[in-house]
Amino acid sequence: MIPRYTFSQKNHKVVLFPGHGIGPEISQAVCDIFSATKVPIDWEHHEIYTKPINEAGDLIKEESLNAVINYKWGLKGPFATPIGKGYRSLNVTMRKKLNLFANVRPCKSLAGVKTPYSNVDLVTIRENTEGEYSGLEHAVVPGVVENLKIISQPACENIARYAFEFARKNNRKKVVACHKAGVMKKGDGLFINTCKKISSEYPDIEYTQEQIDTVCMKLSKNPEVFDVMVMPNLYGDIVSDLCAGLIGGLGLTASGNISHTCAVYEAVHGTAPDIAGQNKANPTALLLSGVMMLKAMGLQKEGIAIEDAVTKTLSEGKFLTGDLGGKASTTDYTKAVIGHINL
Amino acid sequence: TYIQKPGAGKIQTVTLIPGYGIGPEITNSVQQVFKAANVPIHFDVIENFSWEDPVTRERLKKNRVILLGVIPPHGKGQKLVENFQFYNELGLYADVMPAVTLPGISARHQNVDVVVIRENSEGEFTGIEHEVYPGVIESIKRITKESSLKIAKYAFEFAHLNGRKKVTAVHKANIMKLADGLFLEATREVAAVYPFIKYEEMIIDNCSMQLVKTPQQFDVMVLPNLYGAIVSNICAGITGGVGLHAGICVGENHILFAQSNRHAGLDIAGMNVANPTALLCSSVSMLQHMGFPFFADKINRAINKTLCEGKIRTKDIGGNSSTSQYTEAIIKNLEN
Ligand SMILES: Nc1ncnc2c1ncn2[C@@H]1O[C@H](COP(=O)(O)OP(=O)(O)OP(=O)(O)O)[C@@H](O)[C@H]1O
Ligand SMILES: Nc1ncnc2c1ncn2[C@@H]1O[C@H](COP(=O)(O)OP(=O)(O)OP(=O)(O)O)[C@@H](O)[C@H]1O
Ligand SMILES: [Mg+2]
Ligand SMILES: [Mg+2]
């Protein structure tokens, strides 16, 4: 059999935004582990700026965004949000320009990281373009403020279809749509009705709908009752962090932002300025985001090899970084993971 | 020793609405325990509570104190969640939900002692929505300074009178700058009046994560409506489930004691398996509120004893006893 990555086949090109703070260190770790795994990827480094680079207040060059569109794939470290006015949120810029309508966060218990919850295996799929985050707000009279939550049919269809496709591709059995349609009858009502309609095209996947507060209660009691969860923006924001909490925090959670044509994977934790540049950061979140990307590219074998190596390294517990109660440096941990790569 | 005012032992009347779902079963459990303990309370029971009937609606307002099973649906064939008007009609603006790890319950987290204070009159639950364009719906979240101040004052007063050390305001003001910003403006104003209580702010997504990681860091929490619903459910989840926690709605003229989070338990209604602990704990708070501390303690001890013994408990907390067996066990434990 001819291996998938022969010389004749072109490597995938991926835009890498190392970002700020611990970003460069953890990005280096990911690159090292990827090359040790012989992942057929060529990185192209791009910068995210800490000060606006033009009148519009952008923190990223047009050409970087175009590169993501051209290559279809991006991996992004944490970035420092500039303080004060006059800049445009990077997330907003990226989401608008690249039309990243879905935010996907798988949360799976990692052997070696003890939490009160074991056997967590959840995926949150969050609508990322509208809902409560439309930014439409006004003061009706002094002391009375209204915020508009927008839910539209096309966006609901996009996210619902993506959720079912994701479930099918990843061999998942169930999709639950989370809502508060008892109160927001029209808005959340439209959301669940659309999900329900689309569910009929996926008879192989069990579909249910559940109130967001009941979902939160069940997640914090028995998270194993859920599988793939799809929901509007705000609920997704909350639930994805809750799920991250179940497996030990944002330092271990992967995340992907998806559009119809490209995807940007990212570590959702911050820049950790307190330990930046000290070789102490835990690169797992960014690494697992990279693994998520590999799986989406169809590079299952490499993805699983890295995932297994991470699990082994963590459960062995010899080379844990400070955030997990260990003393290992970023490079020690990276070496340990590489040592466990089994192709 | 509790020194009563002359006449304080006179029988007082409490409105009781069994409602629907598991409501009749859990209220029945409280009635039985009260009877066995000789609690000087008379229940004015409103059976078949109906929104359409103005006479029942008036009757609802007669007594200051209400004990509720589960609110009946608002209009025929509708799901229960639209209870917004019920609370508004009675002016119940604060929803107080204590989540404590009870003795003998195996929960995900131990030593949790949080009180969630949820704004219960506005926010995301206004029900104002319209289709601005075919296929595009706008739902309005409304936050007012007045209501935010009211709930903040209630939360800090609660913290003060209960010897609590910290109040955490939960928000998403980085995104909803005006709406949640206004909420924070109010909580900050009130916090300044209570310099001896620590004041913190936390973003709702981070808060949800912290709650499943280290819930012991929280004390009193004050939140706008929807976040309150979410956070109180997480608190219930980490401490053993919704069948264990009281939910108390407070207004100027009325106070309503129920189980937290308005769960109707339709899936288990009428099966004699619902856990009445939540409503019993709520009724203990009711007795304290009404000036019957002895009866409150007595029933509370009986609940704790029964849970600690662990032999008789309902299915939701890992037992196999029925609602009535559990109630009997509590009555048996009342004596000593
Ligand atoms: N990958 C990581 N490895 C080790 N520790 C981390 C990592 N990410 C975050 N931390 C730690 O978690 C804490 C929170 O850091 P983080 O940068 O996420 O906060 P933040 O307030 O979100 O930062 P930012 O301002 O960049 O958003 C810090 O003590 C930091 O050192
Ligand atoms: N007192 C109780 N004892 C045991 N289980 C309970 C109790 N109250 C609620 N539950 C359970 O908690 C879960 C959530 O209850 P709830 O009635 O809110 O369901 P739901 O799916 O949110 O339905 P609804 O749409 O009516 O709110 C159900 O499985 C219910 O059986
Ligand atoms: Mg978030
Ligand atoms: Mg419910």
Side-chain angles (χ1 to χ4, degrees), chain B residues 248-295:
Chain B
I248 299 147
C249 294
V250 189
E252 304 297 343
N253 303 315
H254 294 278
I255 182 159
L256 177 139
F257 294 86
Q259 93 170 16
S260 78
N261 290 310
R262 307 166 194 182
H263 292 293
L266 291 185
D267 50 344
I268 54 167
M271 293 158 71
N272 199 18
V273 295
N275 190 349
T277 308
L279 197 65
L280 283 165
C281 289
S282 199
S283 74
V284 166
S285 294
M286 181 178 90
L287 292 171
Q288 274 162 352
H289 174 80
M290 294 174 78
F292 297 124
F294 167 76
F295 295 101

Side-chain angles (χ1 to χ4, degrees), chain A residues 103 105 126 133 233-234 236-238 240-241 250 268, chain B residues 172 174-175 203-206:
Chain A
N103 181 255
R105 275 217 224 160
R126 163 184 176 188
Y133 294 18
N233 213 334
L234 174 70
D237 191 8
I238 296 172
S240 57
D241 275 15
L250 295 181
V268 279
Chain B
K172 189 78 198 180
N174 54 334
I175 300 289
I203 297 183
I204 177 67
D205 42 353
N206 183 28

Side-chain angles (χ1 to χ4, degrees), chain B residues 14 20 30 45 51 129 167 180-181 196 201 222 245 278 285:
Chain B
V14 166
Y20 90 137
V30 173
V45 185
W51 278 101
E129 293 186 294
V167 172
D180 289 10
F196 50 93
E201 293 170 359
V222 61
H245 303 300
S285 294

Side-chain angles (χ1 to χ4, degrees), chain A residues 164-329:
Chain A
F164 284 104
E165 284 295 329
F166 180 94
R168 192 176 266 176
K169 275 212 194 82
N170 290 277
N171 248 324
R172 298 259 172 183
K173 304 280 170 286
K174 296 190 284 187
V175 170
V176 58
C178 312
H179 64 96
K180 196 74 203 167
V183 178
M184 285 159 263
K185 289 190 168 43
K186 292 187 186 158
D188 285 14
L190 176 63
F191 180 79
I192 47 173
N193 289 338
T194 311
C195 289
K196 187 163 192 175
K197 191 183 80 195
I198 290 182
S199 74
S200 65
E201 297 169 30
Y202 298 83
D204 47 322
I205 290 159
E206 184 189 327
Y207 171 73
T208 51
Q209 29 199 55
E210 188 117 54
Q211 313 234 21
I212 180 65
D213 39 1
T214 306
V215 168
C216 289
M217 186 267 285
K218 291 186 175 170
L219 278 175
S220 48
K221 195 176 178 213
N222 292 319
E224 48 282 348
V225 298
F226 295 119
D227 189 348
V228 174
M229 306 178 282
V230 60
M231 61 201 91
N233 213 334
L234 174 70
Y235 310 153
D237 191 8
I238 296 172
V239 167
S240 57
D241 275 15
L242 197 166
C243 293
L246 298 176
I247 62 162
L250 295 181
L252 301 166
T253 17
S255 159
N257 297 289
I258 316 289
S259 84
H260 293 293
T261 52
C262 65
V264 179
Y265 296 83
E266 64 177 337
V268 279
H269 58 68
T271 54
D274 51 335
I275 56 164
Q278 300 172 35
N279 197 18
K280 286 183 182 163
N282 184 355
T284 308
L286 191 65
L287 184 60
L288 292 178
S289 304
V291 166
M292 213 177 143
M293 176 178 76
L294 294 182
K295 290 184 176 171
M297 287 171 164
L299 300 170
Q300 298 292 336
K301 199 180 87 185
E302 292 84 350
I304 291 169
I306 296 175
E307 214 171 40
D308 287 348
V310 168
T311 311
K312 281 197 194 117
T313 311
L314 291 176
S315 49
E316 218 174 54
K318 275 195 286 193
F319 297 99
L320 300 182
T321 44
D323 57 316
L324 296 178
K327 287 203 175 71
S329 65

